[in-house]
Amino acid sequence: MELIPKKEPQKITYKQVQEYVPEKMEMYENNLFFTEGERIKMLLILLQNVGFETMVKNLPIKTRNELEKVMEEIEMERKCKEIVEQVVSQFGRSLNMNHEYQYNKKKNTLFIYCHILDTDSLWFYRYFYDNENDKFIEQEKQGLESADTVRRLMNK
């Protein structure tokens, strides 16, 4: 039974406690419980029972600020992956290809590199993130005939 913590506290059942809480509370290498999975399960059941509004209210200000930054970074990563998926899908699933992407936070710019193995060609995309409209805007798209040519040029 999956736990989905919400803003408000929720009741938990004995069955959920059996599933999510480890049998023994123990420390291993300065960590509570043996694995990260056990720690996450314990955190989820506590969040379910307390509610995340109460959790956030009880965090120190510095921790809340850090949490806000982490949430922003996670959301930007999701948006980047969405754009990368759109670019990759343009080539079709039947092509044999590799792709990489990198987001430059200071410049609000997403770079996507696609290497089409079937044709040994490279494609380069550059997107700018428009904060006002909350979307990525394509700024540059360039196809290069041969990946070998690019590699030779880069090694000079």
Side-chain angles (χ1 to χ4, degrees):
M1 171 181 270
E2 184 181 16
L3 292 178
I4 302 173
K6 296 182 179 174
K7 179 180 175 180
E8 299 297 325
Q10 300 171 72
K11 300 217 181 276
I12 56 175
T13 65
Y14 185 71
K15 186 176 181 182
Q16 289 171 322
V17 170
Q18 286 179 313
E19 184 178 339
Y20 283 84
V21 178
E23 287 183 32
K24 288 187 347 184
M25 186 94 92
E26 54 189 335
M27 290 212 29
Y28 177 75
E29 294 183 356
N30 295 334
N31 288 304
L32 191 57
F33 306 118
F34 186 68
T35 67
E36 184 175 302
E38 289 176 328
R39 290 187 289 277
I40 298 286
K41 281 183 165 187
M42 185 67 165
L43 181 62
L44 282 173
I45 199 158
L46 287 171
L47 278 173
Q48 177 96 358
N49 205 217
V50 171
F52 59 80
E53 181 177 34
T54 302
M55 180 209 64
V56 171
K57 281 181 180 178
N58 286 284
L59 291 174
I61 289 285
K62 286 183 178 180
T63 305
R64 278 190 252 169
N65 292 339
E66 269 190 68
L67 179 60
E68 187 177 334
K69 287 177 187 171
V70 167
M71 294 299 293
E72 287 171 2
E73 289 171 6
I74 289 170
E75 181 59 17
M76 183 53 75
E77 178 67 17
R78 184 197 63 75
K79 290 174 183 178
C80 287
K81 285 182 178 179
E82 192 175 282
I83 294 297
V84 170
E85 184 60 35
Q86 288 174 17
V87 167
V88 168
S89 68
Q90 291 175 18
F91 291 100
R93 297 283 175 209
S94 60
L95 283 178
N96 189 10
M97 70 181 290
N98 293 326
H99 67 277
E100 294 179 27
Y101 69 96
Q102 183 177 24
Y103 179 70
N104 184 318
K105 187 177 180 179
K106 289 181 183 176
K107 294 183 178 180
N108 269 356
T109 303
L110 172 64
F111 301 95
I112 306 170
Y113 309 92
C114 299
H115 180 195
I116 312 302
L117 301 172
D118 295 337
T119 61
D120 197 30
S121 60
L122 289 176
W123 287 84
F124 166 77
Y125 294 81
R126 183 167 48 100
Y127 284 83
F128 175 76
Y129 185 71
D130 180 359
N131 285 312
E132 284 184 29
N133 295 309
D134 189 32
K135 68 178 186 176
F136 278 101
I137 300 167
E138 186 179 299
Q139 289 191 311
E140 185 178 358
K141 174 182 175 180
Q142 188 174 10
L144 304 168
E145 294 277 328
S146 169
D148 287 333
T149 303
V150 173
R151 283 191 205 102
R152 279 196 304 275
L153 290 170
M154 290 175 71
N155 289 330
K156 285 189 176 183

